[in-house]
Amino acid sequence: MPLIVITGLPRSGKTSRAKELEKYFTELGKGPVHIVSEADCIARSGCGVKESFTDTGKEKQIRASLKSEAMKLLTKSTLVIMDGTNYIKGYRYEIFCMSKNARTTQCTVHCAMTVEQRNARREEIVQNSSSGELDAETFDALCQRYEEPQDTSRWDRPLFTVYGGEEMELPRINSALYEQAPLPPNLATQNMPLSATNFLFELDKSTQTIIDQIAAARKIGLDGPVEIPQAGMRAEVPSNMSVAQLNRHRRQFLNYVKMHTNVSSDISKIPAIFVQFLNTNTNGA
């Protein structure tokens, strides 16, 4: 059931670490172990490695594919390893929410590099890059954009950082995954039972009210988080996000709720769930 999220720059040894983890846990009898590979998702997309990091549309498509495949494999009897750059903290937060929803444990393995190792990898890329493959310019851009996991971020914990040439703390990783209780799902990751006859009407009305409140705050020049009294929390959406973009997220939320048969008839919970949905989905990639 556990999930291991591997993160790191290209050429940092992520795939080798994934295979090492697969071997270790298979020998411990924790299988089946599934590796979900970003490289495989890139190959299936039909684009090259360079394009997968420079074309925003392709990059989002590959991230969605990686997450979707991992979600399908998460069961009570499997260990899933996500082998990818996973360099955006908002994306790692989405994976964290996915784990909570599946009621599974999770840890992060950061394949870090020293400055010397990074320079050596860059030199290898300069010497060996070919058309469509990773080049030095793209590698440099990824180094700038990479949001390193932090032990202070709950979605990155427990965090295991390993540099090239170091041994992974495999027993500690095993303990983190199999000797700890999974985090309970929060409101934003729970599905709820569609039973009240007026539920869809109230759902539509309450979510539109929240969008209107955010729009009104922006009109008067409030750029920071917007207090949503009925939700008991703040909507932390980007200040430059338009009403049209907010409504697009609202429609996604409504479609998600309508597609699930186990949605709560407790109308009072909807504002908090919707605000958490906005905070999660408007602050990522």
Side-chain angles (χ1 to χ4, degrees):
M1 195 173 179
L3 175 68
I4 300 175
V5 178
I6 296 180
T7 177
L9 290 166
R11 311 292 178 91
S12 60
K14 299 185 297 299
T15 298
S16 296
R17 298 297 186 181
K19 291 178 179 177
E20 185 181 349
L21 287 163
E22 179 186 34
K23 181 175 183 292
Y24 175 77
F25 283 106
T26 299
E27 291 176 350
L28 279 183
K30 303 293 188 180
V33 180
H34 297 285
I35 296 178
V36 182
S37 168
E38 181 180 65
D40 290 345
C41 292
I42 291 172
R44 287 196 298 269
S45 74
C47 66
V49 176
K50 177 181 177 179
E51 187 181 2
S52 72
F53 290 116
T54 56
D55 185 309
T56 303
K58 290 287 187 184
E59 188 176 11
K60 287 185 177 181
Q61 175 188 333
I62 290 162
R63 285 202 302 269
S65 177
L66 188 71
K67 179 182 171 185
S68 175
E69 189 172 340
M71 188 183 302
K72 291 175 185 175
L73 291 169
L74 278 178
T75 70
K76 292 182 178 180
S77 59
T78 61
L79 169 62
V80 178
I81 302 171
M82 291 184 70
D83 170 21
T85 49
N86 299 317
Y87 71 95
I88 300 172
K89 63 182 179 181
Y91 178 64
R92 294 197 301 271
Y93 178 74
E94 290 178 22
I95 297 169
F96 169 74
C97 291
M98 178 181 76
S99 293
K100 292 184 73 175
N101 190 39
R103 291 175 170 81
T104 182
T105 53
Q106 174 186 321
C107 75
T108 303
V109 174
H110 177 205
C111 296
M113 290 191 287
T114 63
V115 173
E116 292 77 13
Q117 289 171 337
R118 186 180 296 184
N119 290 337
R121 298 297 181 273
R122 187 185 189 281
E123 186 60 31
E124 291 172 7
I125 291 169
V126 170
Q127 293 176 2
N128 303 317
S129 64
S130 57
S131 178
E133 294 304 307
L134 187 70
D135 59 16
E137 183 180 355
T138 305
F139 181 77
D140 290 342
L142 283 171
C143 290
Q144 293 291 326
R145 290 157 55 192
Y146 186 71
E147 297 176 327
E148 289 195 0
Q150 304 291 330
D151 196 45
T152 53
S153 301
R154 66 187 187 281
W155 53 86
D156 290 326
R157 293 197 303 258
L159 173 63
F160 300 92
T161 299
V162 57
Y163 286 86
E166 291 183 348
E167 296 291 327
M168 276 194 295
E169 300 177 284
L170 295 171
R172 286 190 60 211
I173 293 174
N174 177 64
S175 175
L177 295 175
Y178 289 98
E179 296 177 14
Q180 305 295 326
L183 292 171
N186 57 23
L187 287 174
T189 61
Q190 292 187 66
N191 298 327
M192 303 176 317
L194 187 56
S195 58
T197 55
N198 67 333
F199 180 78
L200 292 178
F201 172 77
E202 293 295 336
L203 175 70
D204 184 81
K205 186 172 71 171
S206 62
T207 54
Q208 185 59 60
T209 298
I210 290 171
I211 296 299
D212 292 342
Q213 287 172 306
I214 297 172
R218 297 295 182 243
K219 275 188 177 181
I220 62 173
L222 177 61
D223 291 333
V226 179
E227 194 69 39
I228 308 297
Q230 65 271 38
M233 60 192 303
R234 299 184 301 176
E236 300 179 2
V237 301
S239 59
N240 61 349
M241 181 162 284
S242 67
V243 174
Q245 290 173 306
L246 288 170
N247 274 314
R248 186 169 67 248
H249 285 291
R250 174 176 170 268
R251 288 192 296 272
Q252 290 173 351
F253 178 76
L254 295 178
N255 289 335
Y256 173 81
V257 171
K258 291 172 185 177
M259 287 172 60
H260 290 72
T261 56
N262 53 336
V263 181
S264 172
S265 57
D266 189 348
I267 302 298
S268 65
K269 292 182 179 180
I270 293 299
I273 296 173
F274 180 50
V275 172
Q276 288 191 28
F277 177 88
L278 287 176
N279 290 349
T280 300
N281 290 277
T282 62
N283 286 284

